């Protein structure tokens, strides 16, 4: 008699182990955050914290050694009535205007010439960009010799054509012209490279269409090149405003031996004392760190205000 095999129990179903949850957020990319952390740590230590401390300091009186004394808004109230501060704003704006508008014109002209050049383009670009990477102190020392009253190159050229000498570094307008000339020479090549980059984004078909319509070089520039170059012009103008209104080294090095009044006096009659130069005078000559911080924040507001004005003017003309 055949035996019936015993029924076997079905194998137990083993539940799958829960899948590992993918890492999210910081745990997944922690090594990337560590890689970029040095920049943010340096910015925090040497950028954000000093800016916050300067704002805090502007509400106190402090000579840099003793204890701080709360001053509230009194230093800002004095700043609004400080004739020397307003005079430094006037000097800065005049120097900025004398430097910026010729610089933009020369930079755009240089960019157009570089864009049309066929040979040695890279050599020309390097030559025009070189002044921007040269030490400002070295440039200012050379320009001090160029604008010297008795032995300067500029006065030698004036005498060669029968014009009397000009005491460039001892007269108010001569000081402003010398500083503006230095700034123009320094930044023309840099902005020319930026304008050149903008010119190379303009399609060549537009120039060909303009030539077919009978437009000459001048008409092509004002009706094709300049309208399409307006965003680049806006960028150059805003950057030139920010850098020009913060000029310091040019006036300091050019005029440091022309007055015995102060290291940061800005030459005779304080004609070359810019806003930043006035800030250094109050802070390091007068040891008034609290008022110097208030001056620094006043400079910040002036720079922001004029940058917005320039941006709005150029943008509005582009929309017309």
């Amino acid at each position: 008699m055949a035996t019936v095999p015993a029924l076997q129990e079905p194998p137990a179903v083993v539940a799958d182990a829960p899948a590992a949850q993918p890492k999210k957020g910081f745990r997944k990319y922690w090594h990337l955050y560590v890689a970029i952390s040095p920049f943010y740590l340096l910015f925090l230590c040497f950028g954000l914290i000093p800016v916050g401390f300067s704002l805090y300091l502007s509400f106190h009186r402090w000579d840099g050694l003793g204890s701080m004394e709360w001053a509230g808004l009194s230093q800002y109230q004095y700043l609004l009535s400080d004739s020397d501060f307003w005079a430094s704003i006037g000097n800065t704006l005049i120097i900025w205007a004398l430097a910026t508008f010729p610089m933009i014109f020369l930079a755009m002209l240089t960019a157009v010439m570089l864009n049309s050049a066929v040979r040695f383009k890279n050599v020309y670009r390097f030559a025009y960009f070189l002044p921007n990477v040269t030490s400002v102190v070295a440039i200012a020392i050379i320009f001090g010799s160029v604008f010297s009253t008795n032995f300067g190159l500029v006065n030698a050229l004036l005498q060669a054509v029968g014009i009397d000498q000009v005491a460039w570094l001892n007269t108010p307008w001569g000081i402003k012209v010398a500083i503006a000339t230095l700034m123009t020479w320094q930044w023309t090549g840099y902005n020319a490279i930026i304008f050149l980059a903008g010119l190379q984004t303009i399609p060549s078909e537009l120039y060909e269409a303009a030539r077919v319509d009978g437009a000459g070089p001048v008409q092509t520039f004002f009706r094709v090149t300049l309208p399409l170059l307006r965003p680049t012009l806006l960028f150059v103008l805003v950057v030139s405003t920010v850098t020009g209104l913060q000029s310091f080294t040019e006036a300091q090095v050019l005029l440091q031996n022309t007055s015995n009044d102060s290291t940061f006096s800005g030459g005779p009659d304080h004609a070359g004392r810019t806003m930043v130069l006035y800030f250094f005078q109050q802070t390091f000559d007068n040891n008034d760190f609290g008022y110097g911080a208030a001056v620094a924040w006043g400079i910040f507001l002036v720079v922001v205000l004029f940058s917005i004005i320039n941006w709005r003017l150029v943008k509005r003309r582009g929309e017309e």
Side-chain angles (χ1 to χ4, degrees), residues 73-115:
L73 296 175
S74 61
Q75 301 195 114
Y76 287 100
Q77 292 174 350
Y78 179 76
L79 181 65
L80 294 176
S81 61
D82 187 356
S83 59
D84 290 335
F85 176 68
W86 289 104
S88 70
I89 293 177
N91 292 336
T92 305
L93 292 178
I94 293 173
I95 293 171
W96 170 81
L98 291 175
T100 300
F101 296 112
M103 179 268 297
I104 289 178
F105 171 77
L106 293 174
M108 189 172 294
L109 180 63
T110 303
V112 172
M113 295 172 61
L114 287 174
N115 194 42

Side-chain angles (χ1 to χ4, degrees), residues 276-320:
V276 178
L277 205 59
Y278 182 65
F279 156 73
F280 269 80
Q281 183 184 42
Q282 294 299 313
T283 304
F284 299 108
D285 268 2
N286 299 341
N287 292 325
D288 194 347
F289 289 84
Y291 185 63
V295 172
W297 280 96
I299 294 172
F300 170 76
L301 294 178
V302 171
V303 172
V304 170
L305 175 63
F306 278 90
S307 299
I308 293 175
I309 291 174
N310 288 328
W311 179 75
R312 294 291 298 176
L313 287 175
V314 175
K315 183 179 180 182
R316 181 176 301 176
R317 290 184 179 181
E319 293 174 351
E320 292 178 355

Side-chain angles (χ1 to χ4, degrees), residues 103 106-112 114 128-129 187-199 236:
M103 179 268 297
L106 293 174
M108 189 172 294
L109 180 63
T110 303
V112 172
L114 287 174
Y128 284 115
F129 191 76
W187 290 100
T188 295
Y190 172 83
N191 290 310
I193 300 300
I194 295 178
F195 279 129
L196 179 62
L199 288 172
V236 169

Side-chain angles (χ1 to χ4, degrees), residues 123-135 139 185-186 189-190 193:
V123 176
Y124 294 143
R125 294 173 186 175
F126 172 78
Y128 284 115
F129 191 76
L130 185 62
N132 186 254
V133 298
T134 306
S135 171
I139 297 173
W185 184 85
Q186 181 188 5
Y190 172 83
I193 300 300

Side-chain angles (χ1 to χ4, degrees), residues 6-317:
L7 296 177
Q8 297 181 353
E9 296 182 356
V13 178
V14 179
D16 295 335
Q21 296 295 327
K23 295 181 180 180
K24 296 181 180 180
F26 180 81
R27 291 185 301 171
K28 182 177 181 181
Y29 301 105
W30 67 269
H31 55 288
L32 301 180
Y33 290 114
V34 171
I36 64 175
S37 62
F39 167 79
Y40 291 99
L41 292 175
L42 291 174
F43 174 74
L44 179 66
C45 295
F46 299 101
L48 194 59
I49 293 178
V51 168
F53 180 72
S54 69
L55 181 61
Y56 172 79
L57 185 60
S58 66
F59 296 101
H60 295 77
R61 293 186 180 91
W62 188 44
D63 61 359
L65 296 176
S67 59
M68 294 184 182
E69 179 184 350
W70 174 256
L73 296 175
S74 61
Q75 301 195 114
Y76 287 100
Q77 292 174 350
Y78 179 76
L79 181 65
L80 294 176
S81 61
D82 187 356
S83 59
D84 290 335
F85 176 68
W86 289 104
S88 70
I89 293 177
N91 292 336
T92 305
L93 292 178
I94 293 173
I95 293 171
W96 170 81
L98 291 175
T100 300
F101 296 112
M103 179 268 297
I104 289 178
F105 171 77
L106 293 174
M108 189 172 294
L109 180 63
T110 303
V112 172
M113 295 172 61
L114 287 174
N115 194 42
S116 61
V118 178
R119 303 177 61 185
F120 307 113
K121 283 186 177 182
N122 293 330
V123 176
Y124 294 143
R125 294 173 186 175
F126 172 78
Y128 284 115
F129 191 76
L130 185 62
N132 186 254
V133 298
T134 306
S135 171
V136 181
V137 176
I139 297 173
I141 293 174
I142 294 174
F143 268 74
S145 301
V146 170
F147 284 97
S148 174
T149 302
N150 297 321
F151 306 103
L153 178 62
V154 175
N155 279 335
L157 294 176
L158 292 178
Q159 287 183 320
V161 296
I163 302 176
D164 295 335
Q165 291 183 351
V166 177
W168 294 102
L169 301 181
N170 291 283
T171 57
W173 276 100
I175 288 172
K176 292 179 175 62
V177 170
I179 298 174
T181 304
L182 191 159
M183 295 171 62
T184 301
W185 184 85
Q186 181 188 5
W187 290 100
T188 295
Y190 172 83
N191 290 310
I193 300 300
I194 295 178
F195 279 129
L196 179 62
L199 288 172
Q200 292 178 344
T201 62
I202 301 176
S204 58
E205 292 82 3
L206 297 178
Y207 292 109
E208 295 175 0
R211 283 193 294 268
V212 170
D213 292 338
V218 177
Q219 289 179 320
T220 302
F221 176 78
F222 283 101
R223 295 184 179 274
V224 177
T225 303
L226 193 58
L228 295 177
L229 205 60
R230 185 168 283 109
T232 307
L233 177 61
L234 174 61
F235 172 80
V236 169
L237 184 59
V238 172
V239 172
S240 299
T241 300
V242 173
T243 56
L245 295 181
Q246 297 182 75
S247 61
F248 165 75
T249 308
E250 298 86 356
Q252 169 63 12
V253 178
L254 271 177
L255 306 172
Q256 62 180 345
N257 297 323
T258 59
S259 176
N260 296 323
D261 182 18
S262 168
T263 307
F264 307 102
S265 63
D269 298 328
H270 309 298
R273 186 169 61 185
T274 61
M275 294 187 293
V276 178
L277 205 59
Y278 182 65
F279 156 73
F280 269 80
Q281 183 184 42
Q282 294 299 313
T283 304
F284 299 108
D285 268 2
N286 299 341
N287 292 325
D288 194 347
F289 289 84
Y291 185 63
V295 172
W297 280 96
I299 294 172
F300 170 76
L301 294 178
V302 171
V303 172
V304 170
L305 175 63
F306 278 90
S307 299
I308 293 175
I309 291 174
N310 288 328
W311 179 75
R312 294 291 298 176
L313 287 175
V314 175
K315 183 179 180 182
R316 181 176 301 176
R317 290 184 179 181

